[in-house]
Amino acid sequence: MKQTPWAVQVRDLSVRFGNFTAVDHISFAVRRGEIFGFLGANGAGKTTTIRVLCGLLVPSSGQVCISDLDCTADARAVKAKVGYMSQRFTLYNDLTVEENLAFAASLRKLSEETIRRRTRELFSFVDFTFPVTTRVADLPGGIKQQLALAAALLHDPEIVFLDEPTAGVAPAVRARFWELIRKLAQAGKTLFVTTHYLDEAENCERIALMREGRIIALDSPARLKAATFREPLLEIEPKLGAPRTWVENLQLDPKVARLQPYGRRYHVLILDPKAWRKIAARMPKTFKLRTISPSLEDVFIRLVEGERA
Amino acid sequence: MTGGFYLSRAASMARKEIRHILRDPFTLAWAVGLPIVMMLFFGYAIDFNVREVRLVAADRDHTRASRELLSLFGSSRFFRVQPLEAGRSAPADLVQEKTKGVLIVEPGFGRDLGAGRPVQVQLLLDGADNSTTGLIVSYFAGIQQLAWKRLALAVPRAPVALVTRYLFNPELNSHWFVVPGLAVVVMGILSIILTALTVAREWETGSMELLLSTPVRPLEIILGKLAPYLGLVFATVVFIYLMARLQFGVPFRGSHLTYLVGVILFLTLCLAQGLLISVLTRQQTVAVQVSFISGLLPTLLLSGFIFPIESMPGFFQGLTFILPPRWFVTVSRGLFLKGAGLAELALPLGMLTLLNLLMVGASLRAFKRDVEP
């Protein structure tokens, strides 16, 4: 069978629970070997989409293909090709590391030899150094998360779905986890990652922004930024004694398209460069001004505002 | 790799479940503790046998005949007869629970007996405690027989003499009555609660997601998860059987094979009920509550284990028809005490089979619908 370059193909997918539409006619495709980010607030439909892709949920309508297999017709074959790490910690706390992995492997009917080899490989991959006889309950949170990843990778899946893998873990562990995700992609795996940390999404080759069940943008982070902000984005930093009222008045200026507080700074978007030069000339010296490249957060906020308008 | 049903996957589910059981003090405590506690409770603490019931005797006749009558009561091991203390009235003793009954022999008893006239003896009973009182009355009938024989010379023979003989449990030993039913209660409660918890736990912790993201089949999950509990509860049945036979001396007069069939029918039914509860509730706390209401209460109250079905109101009698424990109590007692064969047990075994098929079918359907996408 000829392989297409697509690991995941979704056409016009909808999922409805009674009257509630969780996923509303979305279409997208993920290339083989890509790190694909799925972004959105809680309840945007990310987990529902992942559950359909892993064969845990039957879509209300639309077509889903995983590695050229139809998800509805070949659910079991699909399950053999994908690894899924759920948002919730799914290993058994009262079993040891070894028992958990052996159990996960036995459900996939891996041979003893394969289990031993994969466990060794994965332990060195995630840098797991605890004794395998440790009960999972006794492991630190970040290590547990890495063990859950190892369990999802035991059968050497082509495509790995990670649902909020870094929710609630320490920043250092988050960074480490993304390092593992990049290494997996280098090894040829397709990674489908949901997150609501926008800074993490910068690690993805392409991202899809989801809002209320629909995809409102899909592209690489750089192109998303370029497409959303054709004008320069400015940052105003008030220094000590800067008059707050000036910023407040700025907000009322019709020439200012957007003014967004970021901590004590403000991100300002002004569409007309001439108007901006006038404002800059009037700006008190206690403010510092520079041009910045937009973050994904800026992109997300602007896109969501554009949706509302 | 993805095809049909694999026993090996069910077996590894079972191995995992056994580890859960061994490492969870709560499950272990239930599984080991409940049969022992129930055995001690119903086997020793609760005793429906009437022995040494205190009777107060007011002998106002003071003749040889009246003394002989009272000694008849005294010599029976059911009653301990004490004379009414001077200055006390009979009802006062009953009110203060000093006695369960007062026997009054009026003056003239001996004289009338000697003259061949009908005589009467009055027995006042504490009707507030109707279970004991009911038993006293039935023992009383036996003593009356005896009294007629001993004092019969002058008593006209009753035209019809009713002689009661208790079959199957001649001494009306309450252990014989309770212990065979105890196996039903322990099986009913344990298997429903433990299964209701085990599947709900997988939902609660999210590990069901992990299971379902693998090619494992629903039937493999179910067989693997339930097999250890089947074994566990079966072991408690053996324990109760041995206790009944060796400790309480309950006879077993029927076929062990029939008993085994009954146990398997009832046990799988209870496991299926637990599974259904688990699927419907998905939460351990709710699952326990529903198990108690749908498992423990009917088993204790409506199965005929203690309270006879015949004396229930019509609605509840009808309700017991669809309650599996009722049928298994019948099977159990029939086999232990009566030596009932397949012909006599056709109705209860048939009902158990029917209810079993319905419950297993319903729970498997519910589970499959729940876990399959």
Side-chain angles (χ1 to χ4, degrees):
Chain A
M1 192 174 72
K2 197 180 152 285
Q3 270 201 347
T4 62
W6 304 107
V8 177
Q9 286 165 281
V10 174
R11 269 185 291 274
D12 209 23
L13 169 72
S14 287
V15 182
R16 283 180 290 274
F17 300 108
N19 285 329
F20 173 70
T21 304
V23 177
D24 193 3
H25 298 282
I26 61 170
S27 299
F28 64 92
V30 180
R31 274 191 287 274
R32 288 180 198 272
E34 187 174 31
I35 302 179
F36 189 85
F38 224 50
L39 267 75
N42 287 337
K46 293 173 297 181
T47 299
T48 307
T49 308
I50 276 212
R51 287 172 56 86
V52 171
L53 299 182
C54 291
L56 294 173
L57 201 64
V58 169
S60 310
S61 66
Q63 201 194 4
V64 177
C65 286
I66 299 290
S67 193
D68 299 327
L69 290 166
D70 187 280
C71 241
T72 330
D74 290 316
R76 251 161 248 286
V78 165
K79 284 178 182 178
K81 283 183 186 271
V82 305
Y84 172 46
M85 188 176 142
S86 152
Q87 205 170 351
R88 303 172 62 186
F89 182 70
T90 50
L91 297 183
Y92 298 97
N93 272 318
D94 55 338
L95 301 188
T96 67
V97 171
E98 193 176 30
E99 287 162 351
N100 262 300
L101 293 180
F103 175 65
S106 70
L107 294 183
R108 296 187 177 275
K109 298 199 65 64
L110 305 182
S111 70
E112 289 284 327
E113 198 272 318
T114 318
I115 299 176
R116 265 196 303 278
R117 181 175 50 80
R118 286 297 291 162
T119 310
R120 210 168 42 237
E121 286 170 8
L122 289 167
F123 278 177
S124 82
F125 172 66
V126 301
D127 209 9
F128 184 87
T129 49
F130 286 81
V132 290
T133 49
T134 318
R135 289 233 184 135
V136 166
D138 300 331
L139 294 174
I143 305 289
K144 273 189 185 179
Q145 205 72 350
Q146 291 175 28
L147 188 66
L149 176 66
L153 295 174
L154 266 179
H155 57 297
D156 208 6
E158 286 174 29
I159 307 161
V160 188
F161 291 95
L162 305 173
D163 195 4
E164 310 243 347
T166 53
V169 299
V173 181
R174 271 172 61 190
R176 162 102 187 105
F177 215 88
W178 274 96
E179 200 181 301
L180 293 177
I181 290 173
R182 281 192 297 272
K183 262 161 79 179
L184 282 172
Q186 279 156 23
K189 310 242 176 265
T190 308
L191 283 120
F192 190 106
V193 189
T194 75
T195 178
H196 52 223
Y197 293 114
L198 290 147
D199 57 329
E200 280 187 352
E202 306 268 2
N203 288 299
C204 301
E205 280 160 69
R206 287 193 307 151
I207 49 179
L209 289 184
M210 258 198 119
R211 183 163 184 272
E212 288 172 2
R214 282 176 301 119
I215 293 180
I216 58 173
L218 194 167
D219 215 327
S220 70
R223 274 201 299 272
L224 272 182
K225 289 172 190 169
T228 320
F229 289 92
R230 288 197 195 81
E231 317 76 16
L233 187 67
L234 300 155
E235 188 183 68
I236 299 176
E237 186 185 351
K239 282 188 282 197
L240 212 61
R244 190 170 284 271
T245 43
W246 185 78
V247 181
E248 278 163 11
N249 287 335
L250 201 57
Q251 209 154 16
L252 301 173
D253 193 319
K255 294 276 197 282
V256 175
R258 200 175 130 239
L259 188 131
Q260 186 79 28
Y262 271 80
R264 41 191 292 272
R265 297 172 191 162
Y266 300 87
H267 288 190
V268 186
L269 184 70
I270 292 163
L271 303 180
D272 178 7
K274 268 189 278 177
W276 171 243
R277 274 193 292 278
K278 267 190 217 159
I279 293 170
R282 288 203 314 263
M283 188 180 74
K285 291 282 171 273
T286 40
F287 286 99
K288 223 169 89 182
L289 179 76
R290 60 174 164 270
T291 308
I292 55 162
S293 67
S295 68
L296 273 176
E297 197 162 347
D298 293 310
V299 172
F300 197 40
I301 291 170
R302 189 154 189 212
L303 284 170
V304 170
E305 276 174 354
E307 280 276 303
R308 286 210 193 101
Chain B
M1 165 159 182
T2 57
F5 174 84
Y6 284 98
L7 208 56
S8 69
R9 280 204 289 244
S12 60
M13 282 295 307
R15 257 199 308 281
K16 173 195 80 97
E17 207 59 36
I18 290 170
R19 292 200 175 107
H20 287 321
I21 297 173
L22 293 178
R23 286 170 198 180
D24 177 25
F26 177 77
T27 310
L28 263 188
W30 266 101
V32 178
L34 187 75
I36 294 174
V37 168
M38 293 286 262
M39 204 57 155
L40 292 174
F41 194 64
F42 286 102
Y44 294 102
I46 293 188
D47 195 340
F48 300 112
N49 293 338
V50 176
R51 236 178 269 114
E52 304 227 325
V53 173
R54 288 170 58 151
L55 276 188
V56 167
D59 185 355
R60 294 172 185 156
D61 188 43
H62 300 291
T63 59
R64 193 190 57 80
S66 70
R67 277 192 294 274
E68 191 164 346
L69 178 73
L70 293 178
S71 78
L72 268 177
F73 282 93
S75 63
S76 137
R77 61 193 165 90
F78 301 125
F79 301 111
R80 194 155 43 106
V81 182
Q82 289 173 330
L84 183 68
E85 283 170 34
R88 287 189 67 91
S89 77
D93 272 10
L94 281 173
V95 170
Q96 291 171 12
E97 302 242 339
K98 286 196 185 293
T99 179
K100 289 286 174 200
V102 181
L103 200 60
I104 301 169
V105 186
E106 295 294 348
F109 173 82
R111 188 188 62 225
D112 286 354
L113 194 69
R117 282 193 289 271
V119 287
Q120 280 190 333
V121 174
Q122 194 181 14
L123 177 66
L124 299 174
L125 289 171
D126 177 3
D129 177 3
N130 57 5
S131 68
T132 314
T133 312
L135 286 161
I136 294 177
V137 171
S138 63
Y139 287 117
F140 200 74
I143 290 176
Q144 197 174 9
Q145 297 279 332
L146 207 60
W148 274 343
K149 261 187 215 149
R150 290 273 187 90
L151 309 170
L153 283 174
V155 178
R157 277 188 80 80
V160 180
L162 285 177
V163 182
T164 312
R165 190 177 299 139
Y166 294 104
L167 297 175
F168 313 126
N169 187 1
E171 294 183 26
L172 288 181
N173 183 330
S174 74
H175 288 146
W176 288 25
F177 173 73
V178 170
V179 176
L182 199 56
V184 184
V185 175
V186 173
M187 278 162 81
I189 299 169
L190 256 192
S191 43
I192 292 176
I193 268 207
L194 292 181
T195 21
L197 280 178
T198 172
V199 184
R201 186 163 46 217
E202 299 264 0
W203 282 118
E204 239 174 54
T205 59
S207 48
M208 194 60 98
E209 291 269 285
L210 174 90
L211 295 183
L212 299 179
S213 70
T214 72
V216 74
R217 285 175 178 276
L219 196 61
E220 293 163 347
I221 298 182
I222 281 312
L223 284 182
K225 281 195 85 68
L226 298 195
Y229 293 100
L230 192 75
L232 185 80
V233 180
F234 197 81
T236 66
V237 174
V238 173
F239 163 76
I240 293 170
Y241 172 84
L242 290 176
M243 283 294 282
R245 300 297 307 278
L246 304 176
Q247 182 64 28
F248 295 105
V250 183
F252 191 93
R253 300 189 175 118
S255 140
H256 281 93
L257 189 65
T258 315
Y259 189 57
L260 183 68
V261 170
V263 166
I264 290 173
L265 279 176
F266 183 64
L267 204 50
T268 46
L269 204 163
C270 292
L271 292 172
Q273 187 175 340
L275 176 63
L276 191 63
I277 293 171
S278 222
V279 170
L280 297 180
T281 63
R282 280 197 183 191
Q283 276 178 5
Q284 294 189 71
T285 46
V286 187
V288 169
Q289 288 164 11
V290 178
S291 301
F292 269 113
I293 291 166
S294 72
L296 180 82
L297 292 184
T299 312
L300 274 181
L301 304 179
L302 297 177
S303 67
F305 163 59
I306 292 173
F307 306 106
I309 293 167
E310 295 71 26
S311 54
M312 290 173 194
F315 168 75
F316 287 102
Q317 283 200 36
L319 186 66
T320 63
F321 257 77
I322 55 160
L323 291 179
R326 175 234 160 112
W327 299 111
F328 193 53
V329 164
T330 313
V331 170
S332 210
R333 287 217 177 103
L335 289 170
F336 269 95
L337 303 179
K338 300 184 195 170
L342 278 178
E344 290 91 345
L345 295 177
L347 176 67
L349 281 175
M351 283 304 290
L352 268 183
T353 314
L354 179 71
L355 294 170
N356 179 297
L357 292 178
L358 287 176
M359 188 64 89
V360 171
S363 63
L364 284 184
R365 250 175 71 97
F367 182 73
K368 278 189 82 160
R369 186 161 347 128
D370 207 29
V371 299
E372 272 186 349

